[in-house]
Every structure is written in C-alpha cells, then in structure tokens.
Amino acid sequence: MKTSALKLVSLNEALFSVKAFAAAMAALYIAFSMGLPRPFWAMATAYIVSGPLSGAVRSKAVFRVAGTVLGCAGAIALVPALADSPELLTLALGLWVAVCLFISLLDRTPRSYLFMLAGYTIGLIGFPAVTDPSTIFDTGLARVEEILIGILCATVVHSVVFPQSVGPALLGRLDATLRDAERWTREALSRETAPEGAANAQERQKLARDITELRVMATHLPYDTSDVRWMTRAVRAMQDRMAYLLPLTAGIEDRLDALRGQLPAEVSALLADLDRWVGGDDEEGGAERLRAEIARLSPAIGADTGWKEATLLNLLTRLRSLVDIHQDCRDLRAHIRDGKSSLPERLDPLTRRRSRDVFHLDAGMALWSGFAALLGIAVVCAFWIATGWSSGSAAAMMTAVFCCFFASLDDPAPGIRLFLVFTLLSVPLAAFYLLVVLPSFDSFPMLVLGLAPTFLLLGVFVARPATMGKAMALLMGVVGSLSLLDLGTGDFASFLNSNVAQVVGIATALLVTQLCRSVGAAWSARRLLRAGWSEIAAMTAARSGIPVGSFENRMLDRVGLLSSRLALAGPQQDLAAADAVNDLRVGLNVAELQRARRALGGPAAPHVARLLGAVGQHFRGLSSRRLGTPPAEVLPMMDAALSNLSAEPRSAERDRAVIALAGLRRALFPHLTFAAPESSSESLRESVTA
C-alpha cells in the first residue's frame, strides 16, 4: 500500500470512507444500546455490506437479510435435534454450509448472497452452540440482530447520504461499450487485409467481458436510487442486442476475408456506405435505405448455387442484421435518455424476449467447492472435539466463512493467504483497542474518536481497487478479533485464545483449498472450452426447438471468462489454437440449421440431419479431450446438403438453412477455398496439411 499511500485522497474515496465509518458507528451504537453481547458483529457487518454504489448495497442487503434469517432458522432447527451428538451436529452444520455454497455458486446474481449468508450464518450461530445447545435461541437471536443492524445501517447511510447510483455508472459503461462495438464494426467493414489474430482476439474478448460485466451491474438496477431503474427493461434489451454484435461482426470479418478480391463493386460500395452510417455520418432514414440495398444485392438461391454465392448471401444477411442491431441499440439508447414510460411498438418485443440462462454455470466446480468447505469444517471440528479446545467453535466458524468467501475464484488460496497474513498483522492493533482503547473511554463519543483514525484511514484504502484486498483484510482482522469476544467477559486470555482460533480456522481453509480445490487458469480455460463444445454437441442432437438467446448469452459469457484466464495461463499449445468466438459462431449456425430443418419437408432434411450428427460427433470428441480438426467426411456431407437445399422450393426456411450452412462451413474450415464439390475433400486435406 506504500505507493497508494503517497496518492492524495480523492473526494469519492473520502466520501466512501466517511459513509462506511458512519454506518459502522451507527450500527455499533444501536448494538450497544440494545445490550447485545457482541456489538462489534454489527460494526463488521456494516463494513462488509458497504460499497461505492448505493444500488448494489441495497440489492445485496435484501438478500443478505433473507440469508441471515434462513441461516438462523437452520441453526435453531438442527442444534436442538442433534444436541446429544456433537459429531453428528458438526457434520450436519458442515453439510448445510456445503449445500448452501453449492447453490450460491450456481447463481451469479445478487441472489447468490442469500444462500452464501445462509451457509456461513449457520456456522456463526451453530458452532458456538455445540458445547452449550441450551443457548441456541438466545445466541441465534443476538447474532441475527447484530448482523441485521449492520446491514440496515449500511443500507440507509449509503442510500441517503450522497448516494452513488448504479444508473449513471451503468449508462456510462453502456455507452463506452457501444462505442467500442461501433469502432470494431467500422474496422471490420473497412479492413482491406486479413485481421491481426492476437489483436483481433483481444478486442473480441474485451467486448465479451464488458457485456458480461454490464449484465452483472444491471442486476442491481431495480434497487437503484436513480430514475434509470425505471428503464431496466430497455437497458437489458439493449444489452441483449449488443451481445449479438460479437459473433455477428466476427462472422462478417470472416466472410469478407473469404471473399476478398471477389466482391462485386456494388457490394464494396455498400460496405463503404454502411461504414459511414455506423459512424453516424448519414441522413435520417439511412437504415431503411441500407436494408433496401442489401435486399437488392442478395443473390437468389437456385439449383446451381455454389459455396461462393451462399457465402455472399450469408455476408449480406449478416450485414442486414448488423443494420438492425445498430439501429435497435440507437433507438433503445434514445428511449433510455428520454426516460419515456413506454417503448415504440417495434422495440417493445425486444424487452419481453428475455432468456434467464444468460451466465455460464459450472455445477461440477460448485459441487467440488461445497465438498472442500465440508472437508475443511470436518477437519477443524474433529480437532476441536478431540482436544476439547474451548475456542474450537471460532476456528470452525472462520473455516466456514473463508471457504465460502473465495469459492468463486479458480484458485482461492491467494485470497485466503492474504487474509491470513493481514489477520496476523492486525493482532497487535486489535490488542491495543481491546486492552487500551475500550477500557479508557467511558462514553460512546470518545470511543468513536478512538476508532476514527484507524478506520477512516483504512476506509480510504478499501475504496481504492489496487489496495482494497489488503486494506479490507486488515480492517476485518481488527474488527473480527473484537467481534469474537463477549465484551462482558472478555480479557487478554480469551482475546489471545480467540485470535489463535481465528488463525487456525483461516489456515485450515487455506490448507484444504490448496490440497483439493485450487486449480490453474489453464485448467479452468480448458474446462470452459469443453463446456461450450459439449453444449454444441447437445444442440446437434436436440429434438426440441433451441431457445433464442440462451446459447448465445452463455457462450458470450464464456468468451469473457476465458479472456482473463488465457492471459494468466501463459503459452499453451491447445489453448492458443482455441477460439471460443468461433465456437459461438458454430453454435449459432447449428441452432439456425436445427430450426430450419424442422420446417423442411423435402430430401434436404435427412442430409442436414446427417451433417449435424457428424458435427456433433466432432464436438463430443473435442469435449472428451480428443482434439483434432473436423473429419474429412464432413465436407461431402456439406456439399450434399447444399445441393439438396438449393433444389428445394423457395422458402424462408430454405434460405435460412443455406445461409447457416455457409456460415458453418466457414467456421469449421476457415482455410478452405470455394472449390467445386468434387474437389472439396482434396482442398481440405491440403488445408489441414498446410
């Protein structure tokens, strides 16, 4: 924190620190006034809940309150029922923590706080009652009161005193992401040479990451204090439309690369016109004019249609979608800016077509994280019961808390280690407050003055992203040490014992995490890729319709998650060859073929079905770690499917299938030229050899 210490305190940092300290002191005062046994729990909770954006604080507070009450109810139900068997009771408490952690990791919205709080709240209440179950109701009630006081004080202060709304911050990020998308679109339309692979991949990953972060921010919008909360439907619709820009623009780049030097002059003029329109340099009604021009230039599908014509039709269809999405984003953004209560008829369906499955969820890792938490709790509880350690409950509590806090990370060990180090560093400061400050002051205002220098300074560093982790660890080390003591009976011996228990609990969580839960960035990246391949394989065999938006959103989320992991993984041959954006394009074309196939009644349907089966087999092989290029027999299947589709009677479904087929061919065989059908397999062998 040395470098940041030299930096002047900004107004936002100072404001956050003062507000967090005010909320903590209000919670501490109320807890003292109510005569609660451990009032510093309220203070600690106020700091945990505090955040720079008031909407996020309010949304998390709702679920924190529900989770705390649920955890308390679980403790009150389990402890009396298993009071005669401490071993079974600690196992039941550990299972509760593990199950709640599993559920929380399967929800990447603010709802996850409900289950995480329900998990470790039962530890905070239940473990101290193992040796004295008769006090469970009083202990549970006191703990819930202390935690709820902290949550409510933080929520009120951050919502009333100079609230920092989510809305303006979200709109700023939304505008910046839209500008980045427009810039990338214009670069794709005007690029005369093939795009640089590394730089292009970074742009794609950044856009995917930004859209995913916007989705997470938008989950707090209904709880915001700004007027933007009334525009939640429009904001989410705009995010959904922007999500399509990533695979769409990547597909346009690929088609232009395939057709480079073979584009008709009119299509080149269209690209220049579209480039100017995306940049805003066009008259009103430009979108309709561009759509009309695209329709005029689109080639008709006939019996002699080849891959070149199909690819050109695919390009022009993608350009039409590009116009639609950019126009929708502009109209939705204007609606949000104007704050109108209703959307135009054309845009209203966009706000109703929502997919709930927008995030990648890893049930396997969630289950393994829950098992790791259970194992850590079992180890520390076994030591506690075997030795009869008077502060063993505190060690079990800390193990539960720290196994839950960092479970969403690929490798939780560095975060837990950081807290362990700063917990040790906080012991002298906590001892100073316990032995010197608290006994010296006989009034609450004087206690506030004694606490202010330390916590106001640490609050500034908590507000800085670069030092937030270290400052929060030190702050929670101090207030956490005080929270473990009953101020009516606390002395140096109990303080020392409780701090040893705190360190043992954190160290146990660290050791168990390192042994059975920590995974590397490369391992996580491969798991994300295999999840995408498995989903594509399942889509090729789907018997029912594929929901619009579900696959697209999940794959986009995976692209964003992959970006940070690929940066940390270092040079890995298999990861360097992987392209999640291309997998996204494959999946979109598979989904389109599936939807169109169901409406085709002619001889083309069986050919499309066989092709989808072969593609599915290839991706099942990829997901089973059998890496390789698509098998050579896929190309003749594609040729046969195109030939039979071209002979089908003219229909919208037939044209959609041809367009998707051309896109699938480019995604699976990007180096293949527009060879005649009889020589396509030879071209494949040459491209693979090259």
Side-chain angles (χ1 to χ4, degrees), residues 500-525:
V500 170
Q502 187 174 203
V503 170
V504 168
I506 300 174
T508 301
L510 175 61
L511 291 174
V512 170
T513 297
Q514 288 179 318
L515 287 173
C516 65
R517 172 58 182 81
S518 296
V519 296
W523 188 92
S524 294

Side-chain angles (χ1 to χ4, degrees), residues 58-143:
R58 285 151 61 101
S59 69
K60 293 178 182 179
V62 172
F63 296 106
R64 286 181 188 274
V65 169
T68 300
V69 173
L70 180 60
C72 177
I76 293 175
L78 289 176
V79 172
L82 301 172
D84 296 332
S85 179
E87 295 84 359
L88 284 178
L89 177 55
T90 55
L91 179 61
L93 295 175
L95 281 171
W96 177 286
V97 174
V99 171
C100 287
L101 178 59
F102 169 77
I103 297 173
S104 74
L105 292 175
L106 294 182
D107 190 337
R108 290 168 57 196
T109 70
R111 286 190 304 268
S112 64
Y113 289 98
L114 189 159
F115 299 103
M116 184 175 290
L117 262 291
Y120 66 72
T121 295
I122 203 174
L124 300 178
I125 297 171
F127 286 124
V130 170
T131 55
D132 189 8
S134 63
T135 64
I136 180 60
F137 185 80
D138 292 336
T139 301
L141 181 61
R143 240 15 35 89

Side-chain angles (χ1 to χ4, degrees), residues 550-572:
S550 297
F551 171 78
E552 293 90 321
N553 287 319
R554 279 193 300 275
M555 280 299 294
L556 188 72
D557 186 34
R558 290 183 186 119
V559 174
L561 294 173
L562 270 169
S563 63
S564 58
R565 289 163 174 82
L566 292 175
L568 294 173
Q572 305 278 341

Side-chain angles (χ1 to χ4, degrees), residues 164 362 384:
Q164 302 293 313
D362 192 334
W384 167 27

